[in-house]
Amino acid sequence: MPKTLFQTVRREYLKFHLRLNPQQSLFFGFFMYMVLGWIFLSLPFSQKIPTDFIDTLFTSTSALSTTGLATVSTFDNYTFFGQFIILTLIQIGGIGYMTLTTYILLSTTKQITHWHKKILYNEFTMPKEFKIQDFLKSVIVFTFTVEIIGAILFYFAFRPIHSDTFFTVWTSIFHSVSSFCTAGFSLYNTSFEAYATNTFLNGIVLFLTISGGLGFIVVTDIWYYFSKKSNSISFTTKMITLSFFGVLLIATAITFFGESTIQHYPVFERLEIATFQTVNAISTAGYNSIPLSNLTLGVLLTIIFLMYVGAAPSSTGGGMKITTLTAVIAIVKSKVRNQAKVTYLGKKIPADRLEMAVSTFIFYTAILFFSVFLLSFTENQSLEKLLFEATSAIGTVGLSMGITGSLSVWGKIILISIMFIGRVGVITFGLAILAKKQHKKIDNETDLAV
Protein backbone atom coordinates (compact mmCIF):
# COMPACT_ATOMS: atom_id res chain seq x y z
CA MET A 1 0.00 0.00 0.00
CA PRO A 2 2.70 2.56 0.86
CA LYS A 3 4.51 1.67 -2.38
CA THR A 4 1.32 2.18 -4.39
CA LEU A 5 0.69 5.49 -2.63
CA PHE A 6 4.25 6.62 -3.33
CA GLN A 7 3.92 5.72 -7.01
CA THR A 8 0.61 7.58 -7.24
CA VAL A 9 2.03 10.71 -5.58
CA ARG A 10 5.13 10.57 -7.80
CA ARG A 11 3.02 10.17 -10.96
CA GLU A 12 0.75 13.09 -10.05
CA TYR A 13 3.78 15.22 -9.14
CA LEU A 14 5.39 14.54 -12.53
CA LYS A 15 2.12 15.35 -14.30
CA PHE A 16 1.93 18.63 -12.40
CA HIS A 17 5.52 19.53 -13.30
CA LEU A 18 5.04 18.73 -16.97
CA ARG A 19 2.07 21.13 -17.13
CA LEU A 20 4.31 23.99 -16.03
CA ASN A 21 6.33 26.14 -18.39
CA PRO A 22 10.12 26.24 -17.73
CA GLN A 23 9.89 29.49 -15.76
CA GLN A 24 7.12 28.10 -13.55
CA SER A 25 9.17 24.94 -12.98
CA LEU A 26 12.12 27.02 -11.79
CA PHE A 27 9.87 29.13 -9.60
CA PHE A 28 8.18 26.09 -8.08
CA GLY A 29 11.46 24.20 -7.61
CA PHE A 30 13.16 27.00 -5.71
CA PHE A 31 9.98 27.64 -3.72
CA MET A 32 9.84 24.00 -2.60
CA TYR A 33 13.49 24.06 -1.51
CA MET A 34 12.82 27.27 0.40
CA VAL A 35 9.91 25.66 2.25
CA LEU A 36 11.89 22.47 2.94
CA GLY A 37 14.76 24.55 4.30
CA TRP A 38 12.33 26.45 6.50
CA ILE A 39 10.90 23.17 7.86
CA PHE A 40 14.34 21.68 8.61
CA LEU A 41 15.58 24.88 10.27
CA SER A 42 12.43 24.98 12.41
CA LEU A 43 13.19 21.57 13.96
CA PRO A 44 14.24 21.78 17.65
CA PHE A 45 17.61 20.10 17.03
CA SER A 46 18.43 22.70 14.36
CA GLN A 47 18.28 25.56 16.85
CA LYS A 48 20.48 26.41 19.81
CA ILE A 49 17.88 28.88 21.05
CA PRO A 50 14.20 29.22 20.04
CA THR A 51 13.96 31.23 16.81
CA ASP A 52 10.79 32.86 15.46
CA PHE A 53 9.25 31.29 12.37
CA ILE A 54 9.68 34.50 10.35
CA ASP A 55 13.40 34.59 11.15
CA THR A 56 13.76 30.93 10.18
CA LEU A 57 11.93 31.57 6.89
CA PHE A 58 14.14 34.62 6.32
CA THR A 59 17.28 32.51 6.90
CA SER A 60 16.08 29.75 4.57
CA THR A 61 15.28 32.22 1.78
CA SER A 62 18.51 34.14 2.30
CA ALA A 63 20.57 30.93 2.11
CA LEU A 64 18.80 29.50 -0.94
CA SER A 65 19.00 32.83 -2.76
CA THR A 66 22.69 33.06 -1.72
CA THR A 67 22.02 36.49 -0.26
CA GLY A 68 23.50 36.40 3.24
CA LEU A 69 21.22 38.91 4.94
CA ALA A 70 20.42 37.63 8.43
CA THR A 71 17.96 38.68 11.09
CA VAL A 72 19.58 36.31 13.63
CA SER A 73 23.11 35.02 14.16
CA THR A 74 23.95 31.90 12.14
CA PHE A 75 26.39 30.68 14.79
CA ASP A 76 24.49 31.68 17.93
CA ASN A 77 21.00 30.55 16.82
CA TYR A 78 21.65 27.36 14.87
CA THR A 79 23.31 24.08 15.81
CA PHE A 80 25.79 22.27 13.61
CA PHE A 81 22.87 20.51 11.92
CA GLY A 82 21.12 23.83 11.32
CA GLN A 83 24.33 25.31 9.92
CA PHE A 84 24.67 22.25 7.66
CA ILE A 85 21.13 22.81 6.33
CA ILE A 86 22.02 26.45 5.64
CA LEU A 87 25.16 25.38 3.79
CA THR A 88 23.18 22.84 1.74
CA LEU A 89 20.70 25.53 0.72
CA ILE A 90 23.60 27.80 -0.24
CA GLN A 91 25.09 25.09 -2.46
CA ILE A 92 21.75 24.39 -4.14
CA GLY A 93 21.13 28.07 -4.69
CA GLY A 94 24.65 28.69 -5.95
CA ILE A 95 24.78 26.11 -8.74
CA GLY A 96 21.04 25.83 -9.41
CA TYR A 97 18.60 23.27 -8.08
CA MET A 98 18.46 21.32 -11.37
CA THR A 99 22.19 21.30 -12.08
CA LEU A 100 23.47 18.48 -9.86
CA THR A 101 20.52 16.12 -10.45
CA THR A 102 20.70 16.64 -14.22
CA TYR A 103 24.46 16.05 -14.20
CA ILE A 104 23.98 12.76 -12.30
CA LEU A 105 21.25 11.77 -14.76
CA LEU A 106 23.53 12.63 -17.68
CA SER A 107 26.43 10.68 -16.17
CA THR A 108 24.33 7.53 -15.65
CA THR A 109 22.06 7.51 -18.71
CA LYS A 110 24.27 9.57 -21.11
CA GLN A 111 21.23 11.65 -22.06
CA ILE A 112 18.80 14.14 -20.58
CA THR A 113 15.17 14.80 -21.38
CA HIS A 114 13.88 17.71 -23.42
CA TRP A 115 12.13 18.93 -20.24
CA HIS A 116 15.45 19.11 -18.38
CA LYS A 117 17.05 20.99 -21.27
CA LYS A 118 14.30 23.60 -21.38
CA ILE A 119 14.59 24.32 -17.66
CA LEU A 120 18.40 24.50 -17.75
CA TYR A 121 18.38 26.87 -20.73
CA ASN A 122 16.04 29.11 -18.74
CA GLU A 123 18.08 28.85 -15.55
CA PHE A 124 21.38 29.57 -17.30
CA THR A 125 21.99 32.13 -20.01
CA MET A 126 24.61 30.65 -22.30
CA PRO A 127 25.90 31.23 -25.83
CA LYS A 128 24.25 29.11 -28.53
CA GLU A 129 27.53 27.37 -29.40
CA PHE A 130 27.76 25.82 -25.91
CA LYS A 131 26.66 22.21 -25.49
CA ILE A 132 24.53 21.67 -22.39
CA GLN A 133 26.54 18.54 -21.48
CA ASP A 134 29.86 20.41 -21.55
CA PHE A 135 28.40 23.34 -19.68
CA LEU A 136 27.01 21.15 -16.89
CA LYS A 137 30.34 19.36 -16.56
CA SER A 138 32.21 22.64 -16.26
CA VAL A 139 29.74 23.86 -13.61
CA ILE A 140 30.06 20.78 -11.42
CA VAL A 141 33.80 20.16 -11.82
CA PHE A 142 34.77 23.82 -11.45
CA THR A 143 32.47 24.37 -8.46
CA PHE A 144 33.71 21.48 -6.35
CA THR A 145 37.35 21.90 -7.39
CA VAL A 146 37.42 25.56 -6.38
CA GLU A 147 35.48 24.92 -3.17
CA ILE A 148 37.87 22.14 -2.12
CA ILE A 149 40.89 24.34 -2.84
CA GLY A 150 39.23 27.18 -0.93
CA ALA A 151 38.50 24.97 2.08
CA ILE A 152 42.13 23.79 2.23
CA LEU A 153 43.43 27.37 2.02
CA PHE A 154 40.94 28.54 4.65
CA TYR A 155 42.08 25.74 6.96
CA PHE A 156 45.67 26.98 6.89
CA ALA A 157 44.45 30.55 7.41
CA PHE A 158 42.16 29.71 10.33
CA ARG A 159 44.42 27.12 12.05
CA PRO A 160 46.54 29.75 13.87
CA ILE A 161 43.35 31.54 14.96
CA HIS A 162 41.21 28.68 16.33
CA SER A 163 42.33 26.01 18.79
CA ASP A 164 39.35 23.70 18.10
CA THR A 165 40.30 21.47 15.14
CA PHE A 166 36.72 20.45 14.32
CA PHE A 167 35.54 24.06 14.25
CA THR A 168 38.55 25.03 12.13
CA VAL A 169 37.64 22.36 9.55
CA TRP A 170 33.95 23.25 9.62
CA THR A 171 34.44 27.00 9.37
CA SER A 172 36.87 26.44 6.47
CA ILE A 173 34.34 24.35 4.54
CA PHE A 174 31.46 26.68 5.40
CA HIS A 175 33.22 29.86 4.30
CA SER A 176 34.63 28.25 1.17
CA VAL A 177 31.19 27.21 -0.10
CA SER A 178 29.61 30.45 1.06
CA SER A 179 32.31 32.52 -0.65
CA PHE A 180 32.26 30.71 -3.98
CA CYS A 181 28.45 30.71 -4.07
CA THR A 182 28.64 34.44 -3.22
CA ALA A 183 26.29 33.85 -0.28
CA GLY A 184 27.93 36.01 2.36
CA PHE A 185 26.86 33.78 5.26
CA SER A 186 29.47 33.67 8.00
CA LEU A 187 29.97 31.91 11.31
CA TYR A 188 31.35 35.22 12.64
CA ASN A 189 28.79 37.79 13.76
CA THR A 190 30.83 40.70 12.39
CA SER A 191 31.65 38.98 9.08
CA PHE A 192 35.38 39.56 8.32
CA GLU A 193 35.75 42.83 10.22
CA ALA A 194 38.18 41.19 12.66
CA TYR A 195 40.40 40.22 9.71
CA ALA A 196 40.33 43.47 7.73
CA THR A 197 44.11 43.47 7.26
CA ASN A 198 44.69 39.71 7.14
CA THR A 199 46.03 39.53 3.58
CA PHE A 200 45.97 35.73 3.36
CA LEU A 201 42.33 35.46 4.44
CA ASN A 202 41.25 38.36 2.25
CA GLY A 203 43.07 36.85 -0.72
CA ILE A 204 41.23 33.54 -0.31
CA VAL A 205 37.86 35.29 -0.15
CA LEU A 206 38.66 37.38 -3.24
CA PHE A 207 39.81 34.29 -5.17
CA LEU A 208 36.59 32.43 -4.36
CA THR A 209 34.15 35.29 -4.86
CA ILE A 210 35.65 36.41 -8.17
CA SER A 211 35.65 32.78 -9.35
CA GLY A 212 31.95 32.51 -8.55
CA GLY A 213 31.06 36.01 -9.73
CA LEU A 214 32.66 35.77 -13.18
CA GLY A 215 30.42 32.83 -13.96
CA PHE A 216 30.35 29.48 -15.68
CA ILE A 217 30.19 30.96 -19.19
CA VAL A 218 33.71 32.30 -18.76
CA VAL A 219 34.92 29.00 -17.26
CA THR A 220 33.35 26.90 -20.04
CA ASP A 221 34.71 29.23 -22.71
CA ILE A 222 38.25 29.05 -21.33
CA TRP A 223 37.93 25.27 -21.08
CA TYR A 224 36.82 25.16 -24.74
CA TYR A 225 39.81 27.27 -25.73
CA PHE A 226 42.48 25.27 -23.89
CA SER A 227 40.95 21.91 -24.88
CA LYS A 228 41.09 23.07 -28.55
CA LYS A 229 37.30 22.91 -28.93
CA SER A 230 37.38 26.55 -30.03
CA ASN A 231 40.05 28.70 -31.62
CA SER A 232 39.40 31.89 -29.68
CA ILE A 233 37.81 33.36 -26.56
CA SER A 234 34.19 34.26 -27.28
CA PHE A 235 32.83 37.78 -27.48
CA THR A 236 30.58 37.05 -24.47
CA THR A 237 33.57 36.24 -22.25
CA LYS A 238 35.43 39.34 -23.41
CA MET A 239 32.35 41.45 -22.72
CA ILE A 240 31.91 40.00 -19.23
CA THR A 241 35.53 40.25 -18.10
CA LEU A 242 36.17 43.72 -19.50
CA SER A 243 32.97 45.14 -18.00
CA PHE A 244 33.37 43.34 -14.66
CA PHE A 245 36.95 44.41 -14.02
CA GLY A 246 36.43 47.87 -15.54
CA VAL A 247 33.59 48.71 -13.15
CA LEU A 248 35.50 47.07 -10.28
CA LEU A 249 38.63 49.15 -10.93
CA ILE A 250 36.72 52.44 -10.95
CA ALA A 251 34.76 51.54 -7.80
CA THR A 252 37.93 50.47 -5.95
CA ALA A 253 39.60 53.79 -6.79
CA ILE A 254 36.57 55.71 -5.51
CA THR A 255 36.58 53.74 -2.25
CA PHE A 256 40.36 53.98 -1.84
CA PHE A 257 40.49 57.76 -2.25
CA GLY A 258 37.01 58.71 -1.07
CA GLU A 259 36.35 56.71 2.09
CA SER A 260 37.42 58.77 5.10
CA THR A 261 37.08 55.93 7.65
CA ILE A 262 40.01 54.00 6.13
CA GLN A 263 42.39 56.90 5.47
CA HIS A 264 44.35 56.21 8.67
CA TYR A 265 45.43 52.78 7.36
CA PRO A 266 48.75 52.38 5.51
CA VAL A 267 48.43 52.57 1.71
CA PHE A 268 48.56 48.80 1.07
CA GLU A 269 46.03 48.00 3.82
CA ARG A 270 43.74 50.77 2.57
CA LEU A 271 43.92 49.28 -0.93
CA GLU A 272 43.26 45.83 0.52
CA ILE A 273 40.13 47.01 2.34
CA ALA A 274 38.85 48.99 -0.65
CA THR A 275 39.35 46.02 -2.99
CA PHE A 276 37.76 43.56 -0.58
CA GLN A 277 34.66 45.71 -0.16
CA THR A 278 34.09 46.49 -3.82
CA VAL A 279 34.68 42.89 -4.95
CA ASN A 280 32.20 41.64 -2.36
CA ALA A 281 29.63 44.16 -3.62
CA ILE A 282 29.87 43.54 -7.37
CA SER A 283 30.27 39.76 -7.03
CA THR A 284 27.31 39.91 -4.60
CA ALA A 285 29.30 37.85 -2.07
CA GLY A 286 28.25 40.14 0.76
CA TYR A 287 31.18 39.95 3.18
CA ASN A 288 32.44 43.14 4.78
CA SER A 289 35.77 43.89 6.46
CA ILE A 290 34.73 47.33 7.78
CA PRO A 291 31.44 48.56 9.32
CA LEU A 292 29.19 49.86 6.55
CA SER A 293 26.99 52.12 8.66
CA ASN A 294 29.66 54.84 8.79
CA LEU A 295 30.61 54.94 5.12
CA THR A 296 30.71 58.34 3.43
CA LEU A 297 27.72 59.00 1.19
CA GLY A 298 29.68 58.88 -2.07
CA VAL A 299 31.21 55.48 -1.29
CA LEU A 300 27.85 54.25 0.01
CA LEU A 301 26.24 55.13 -3.34
CA THR A 302 29.11 53.38 -5.12
CA ILE A 303 28.49 50.19 -3.13
CA ILE A 304 24.74 50.45 -3.86
CA PHE A 305 25.48 50.80 -7.58
CA LEU A 306 27.76 47.74 -7.52
CA MET A 307 25.09 45.68 -5.75
CA TYR A 308 22.50 46.93 -8.23
CA VAL A 309 24.60 45.91 -11.24
CA GLY A 310 25.79 42.60 -9.81
CA ALA A 311 27.88 39.79 -11.24
CA ALA A 312 28.05 37.99 -14.58
CA PRO A 313 25.18 35.94 -16.05
CA SER A 314 25.17 32.20 -15.34
CA SER A 315 27.28 32.76 -12.24
CA THR A 316 26.71 32.14 -8.55
CA GLY A 317 26.23 35.89 -8.13
CA GLY A 318 23.05 37.93 -8.40
CA GLY A 319 22.13 41.48 -9.31
CA MET A 320 20.81 42.92 -12.55
CA LYS A 321 23.94 41.42 -14.26
CA ILE A 322 26.93 43.23 -15.70
CA THR A 323 25.93 42.31 -19.27
CA THR A 324 22.58 44.05 -18.84
CA LEU A 325 24.40 47.23 -17.88
CA THR A 326 26.73 47.03 -20.88
CA ALA A 327 23.83 46.36 -23.25
CA VAL A 328 21.89 49.37 -21.94
CA ILE A 329 25.00 51.56 -22.20
CA ALA A 330 25.54 50.30 -25.77
CA ILE A 331 21.94 51.26 -26.65
CA VAL A 332 22.38 54.77 -25.26
CA LYS A 333 25.73 55.17 -27.03
CA SER A 334 24.28 54.10 -30.37
CA LYS A 335 21.38 56.53 -30.03
CA VAL A 336 23.45 59.58 -29.09
CA ARG A 337 25.81 58.78 -31.99
CA ASN A 338 22.83 58.21 -34.31
CA GLN A 339 24.04 54.73 -35.24
CA ALA A 340 21.67 52.23 -36.81
CA LYS A 341 23.30 49.23 -35.11
CA VAL A 342 23.92 48.68 -31.42
CA THR A 343 27.49 47.53 -30.94
CA TYR A 344 29.96 46.75 -28.15
CA LEU A 345 33.68 46.25 -28.79
CA GLY A 346 32.90 46.54 -32.49
CA LYS A 347 30.41 43.64 -32.43
CA LYS A 348 26.71 43.94 -33.11
CA ILE A 349 24.51 42.90 -30.19
CA PRO A 350 21.54 40.73 -31.29
CA ALA A 351 18.09 42.32 -31.02
CA ASP A 352 16.73 39.60 -28.72
CA ARG A 353 19.57 40.23 -26.25
CA LEU A 354 18.87 43.95 -26.31
CA GLU A 355 15.17 43.36 -25.68
CA MET A 356 15.99 41.06 -22.76
CA ALA A 357 18.44 43.61 -21.31
CA VAL A 358 15.96 46.48 -21.50
CA SER A 359 13.16 44.35 -20.03
CA THR A 360 15.42 43.22 -17.19
CA PHE A 361 16.60 46.77 -16.51
CA ILE A 362 13.06 48.17 -16.33
CA PHE A 363 11.51 45.30 -14.37
CA TYR A 364 14.44 45.03 -11.94
CA THR A 365 14.46 48.78 -11.25
CA ALA A 366 10.67 48.86 -10.84
CA ILE A 367 10.70 46.04 -8.26
CA LEU A 368 13.55 47.72 -6.38
CA PHE A 369 11.76 51.07 -6.32
CA PHE A 370 8.47 49.51 -5.24
CA SER A 371 10.13 47.53 -2.43
CA VAL A 372 11.83 50.68 -1.07
CA PHE A 373 8.47 52.45 -1.32
CA LEU A 374 6.81 49.72 0.78
CA LEU A 375 9.67 49.65 3.30
CA SER A 376 9.29 53.40 3.80
CA PHE A 377 5.86 52.69 5.31
CA THR A 378 6.84 49.67 7.42
CA GLU A 379 10.22 50.85 8.76
CA ASN A 380 11.39 53.93 10.62
CA GLN A 381 14.77 54.20 8.88
CA SER A 382 16.52 56.70 6.61
CA LEU A 383 16.13 56.44 2.84
CA GLU A 384 19.76 55.45 2.23
CA LYS A 385 19.49 52.56 4.72
CA LEU A 386 16.26 51.29 3.15
CA LEU A 387 17.68 51.62 -0.36
CA PHE A 388 20.88 49.85 0.70
CA GLU A 389 18.96 46.99 2.34
CA ALA A 390 16.53 46.52 -0.57
CA THR A 391 19.31 46.66 -3.18
CA SER A 392 21.27 44.10 -1.18
CA ALA A 393 18.21 41.83 -0.99
CA ILE A 394 17.11 41.86 -4.63
CA GLY A 395 20.75 41.69 -5.74
CA THR A 396 21.24 38.69 -3.42
CA VAL A 397 24.29 40.42 -1.93
CA GLY A 398 23.95 40.30 1.85
CA LEU A 399 25.68 43.54 2.80
CA SER A 400 23.79 45.54 5.41
CA MET A 401 24.05 48.83 7.26
CA GLY A 402 22.96 47.01 10.40
CA ILE A 403 19.18 47.29 10.24
CA THR A 404 18.25 43.74 9.12
CA GLY A 405 17.70 42.37 12.61
CA SER A 406 15.51 45.32 13.66
CA LEU A 407 13.13 45.10 10.70
CA SER A 408 9.43 44.66 11.39
CA VAL A 409 7.64 41.46 10.38
CA TRP A 410 6.29 43.19 7.28
CA GLY A 411 9.75 44.50 6.46
CA LYS A 412 11.16 40.97 6.69
CA ILE A 413 8.37 39.66 4.43
CA ILE A 414 9.19 42.32 1.83
CA LEU A 415 12.87 41.35 1.86
CA ILE A 416 12.02 37.64 1.75
CA SER A 417 9.95 38.28 -1.36
CA ILE A 418 12.58 40.26 -3.24
CA MET A 419 15.42 37.92 -2.21
CA PHE A 420 13.44 35.08 -3.77
CA ILE A 421 12.69 37.15 -6.89
CA GLY A 422 16.36 38.09 -7.13
CA ARG A 423 17.38 34.42 -7.09
CA VAL A 424 14.93 33.12 -9.69
CA GLY A 425 15.47 36.24 -11.81
CA VAL A 426 13.06 39.09 -12.43
CA ILE A 427 12.18 37.97 -15.98
CA THR A 428 11.74 34.34 -14.90
CA PHE A 429 9.56 35.53 -12.03
CA GLY A 430 7.46 37.68 -14.37
CA LEU A 431 7.01 34.89 -16.91
CA ALA A 432 6.18 32.36 -14.18
CA ILE A 433 3.46 34.60 -12.73
CA LEU A 434 2.12 36.52 -15.72
CA ALA A 435 2.95 34.66 -18.93
CA LYS A 436 0.09 33.08 -20.86
CA LYS A 437 0.21 30.61 -23.69
CA GLN A 438 -0.13 32.17 -27.13
CA HIS A 439 -3.23 30.81 -28.82
CA LYS A 440 -2.97 32.84 -31.97
CA LYS A 441 -0.55 35.01 -33.81
CA ILE A 442 -0.99 38.74 -33.38
CA ASP A 443 -0.72 40.43 -36.76
CA ASN A 444 -1.60 43.99 -35.85
CA GLU A 445 1.45 46.00 -34.82
CA THR A 446 1.86 49.66 -34.01
CA ASP A 447 4.79 51.99 -33.63
CA LEU A 448 5.55 53.05 -30.07
CA ALA A 449 7.49 56.22 -29.40
CA VAL A 450 10.01 55.77 -26.58
Side-chain angles (χ1 to χ4, degrees):
M1 181 66 180
K3 184 177 181 180
T4 305
L5 179 61
F6 173 77
Q7 291 174 339
T8 302
V9 172
R10 183 175 182 273
R11 184 171 59 252
E12 292 302 317
Y13 174 78
L14 290 174
K15 286 181 179 179
F16 167 74
H17 243 306
L18 290 174
R19 287 196 298 267
L20 302 176
N21 63 37
Q23 294 82 13
Q24 289 171 334
S25 292
L26 283 174
F27 181 95
F28 179 76
F30 277 112
F31 181 80
M32 289 302 298
Y33 274 114
M34 180 186 73
V35 172
L36 285 173
W38 180 28
I39 292 172
F40 276 111
L41 288 176
S42 298
L43 297 174
F45 50 83
S46 294
Q47 302 176 1
K48 291 180 181 178
I49 57 177
T51 306
D52 290 342
F53 82 95
I54 190 66
D55 293 318
T56 306
L57 178 61
F58 193 101
T59 301
S60 176
T61 309
S62 184
L64 184 65
S65 63
T66 67
T67 301
L69 287 174
T71 55
V72 295
S73 167
T74 302
F75 182 78
D76 294 338
N77 284 66
Y78 296 104
T79 62
F80 171 76
F81 179 78
Q83 294 168 20
F84 177 78
I85 294 298
I86 291 171
L87 195 65
T88 303
L89 291 170
I90 290 171
Q91 188 72 86
I92 293 170
I95 64 174
Y97 90 97
M98 285 289 294
T99 305
L100 185 58
T101 54
T102 307
Y103 179 73
I104 294 172
L105 178 66
L106 186 63
S107 300
T108 54
T109 65
K110 304 302 179 183
Q111 60 182 0
I112 56 176
T113 65
H114 180 63
W115 178 75
H116 280 87
K117 286 184 179 180
K118 285 199 302 182
I119 296 177
L120 286 168
Y121 273 115
N122 277 273
E123 185 169 11
F124 295 106
T125 303
M126 67 185 82
K128 295 178 181 178
E129 61 268 21
F130 280 13
K131 294 181 179 179
I132 190 68
Q133 294 90 335
D134 291 340
F135 185 77
L136 280 176
K137 184 178 180 180
S138 71
V139 170
I140 298 299
V141 173
F142 182 70
T143 295
F144 290 111
T145 299
V146 172
E147 287 178 352
I148 290 170
I149 293 172
I152 294 171
L153 292 174
F154 266 131
Y155 176 79
F156 286 109
F158 284 129
R159 190 171 62 172
I161 300 172
H162 304 296
S163 57
D164 187 335
T165 302
F166 176 78
F167 180 75
T168 303
V169 172
W170 174 236
T171 193
S172 299
I173 296 171
F174 189 96
H175 286 93
S176 180
V177 175
S178 184
S179 297
F180 178 78
C181 292
T182 65
F185 271 88
S186 177
L187 298 181
Y188 310 113
N189 292 333
T190 57
S191 191
F192 280 84
E193 289 181 20
Y195 312 110
T197 57
N198 188 321
T199 304
F200 186 32
L201 265 178
N202 289 341
I204 299 168
V205 174
L206 294 180
F207 159 69
L208 290 167
T209 55
I210 291 176
S211 298
L214 276 179
F216 302 116
I217 291 177
V218 175
V219 173
T220 305
D221 195 27
I222 294 174
W223 178 39
Y224 270 21
Y225 180 73
F226 283 104
S227 62
K228 306 301 181 181
K229 291 186 177 182
S230 68
N231 297 322
S232 62
I233 301 296
S234 71
F235 168 71
T236 303
T237 294
K238 293 176 183 177
M239 183 179 184
I240 289 172
T241 51
L242 181 63
S243 303
F244 184 90
F245 287 108
V247 172
L248 180 61
L249 182 63
I250 295 171
T252 301
I254 292 172
T255 306
F256 178 81
F257 291 107
E259 181 49 52
S260 59
T261 61
I262 64 173
Q263 295 303 314
H264 64 282
Y265 285 96
V267 173
F268 177 78
E269 292 182 355
R270 192 160 82 243
L271 180 61
E272 184 178 355
I273 293 170
T275 304
F276 185 92
Q277 211 52 72
T278 51
V279 168
N280 274 272
I282 195 170
S283 68
T284 73
Y287 289 127
N288 61 285
S289 59
I290 55 173
L292 303 180
S293 56
N294 298 322
L295 292 179
T296 55
L297 187 58
V299 173
L300 190 67
L301 289 172
T302 301
I303 298 296
I304 290 174
F305 175 76
L306 293 176
M307 295 192 298
Y308 171 78
V309 172
S314 298
S315 70
T316 61
M320 184 179 64
K321 303 303 183 187
I322 192 72
T323 47
T324 300
L325 175 67
T326 54
V328 171
I329 291 175
I331 292 172
V332 174
K333 187 183 73 171
S334 69
K335 293 304 177 185
V336 297
R337 290 185 176 182
N338 199 28
Q339 295 174 334
K341 297 179 180 179
V342 178
T343 61
Y344 184 81
L345 297 178
K347 297 283 187 178
K348 181 183 176 182
I349 303 177
D352 60 332
R353 295 296 185 186
L354 294 175
E355 291 173 0
M356 180 64 73
V358 172
S359 300
T360 301
F361 174 75
I362 294 173
F363 200 16
Y364 190 92
T365 306
I367 294 175
L368 176 59
F369 176 85
F370 187 62
S371 63
V372 175
F373 176 74
L374 293 178
L375 286 170
S376 68
F377 288 101
T378 64
E379 312 304 316
N380 184 24
Q381 299 286 349
S382 63
L383 176 61
E384 64 264 24
K385 289 184 178 181
L386 296 180
L387 177 61
F388 193 99
E389 203 79 7
T391 307
S392 181
I394 194 172
T396 69
V397 184
L399 293 175
S400 175
M401 294 183 70
I403 69 170
T404 314
S406 60
L407 293 172
S408 67
V409 172
W410 283 111
K412 292 174 184 177
I413 291 173
I414 293 168
L415 291 195
I416 287 170
S417 301
I418 60 176
M419 282 192 297
F420 184 80
I421 293 172
R423 177 57 190 90
V424 300
V426 293
I427 298 298
T428 299
F429 170 75
L431 289 172
I433 300 298
L434 303 174
K436 297 180 180 179
K437 291 183 178 179
Q438 295 182 348
H439 297 288
K440 61 180 180 179
K441 186 178 178 180
I442 300 175
D443 296 319
N444 297 324
E445 295 182 352
T446 181
D447 290 331
L448 178 65
V450 293

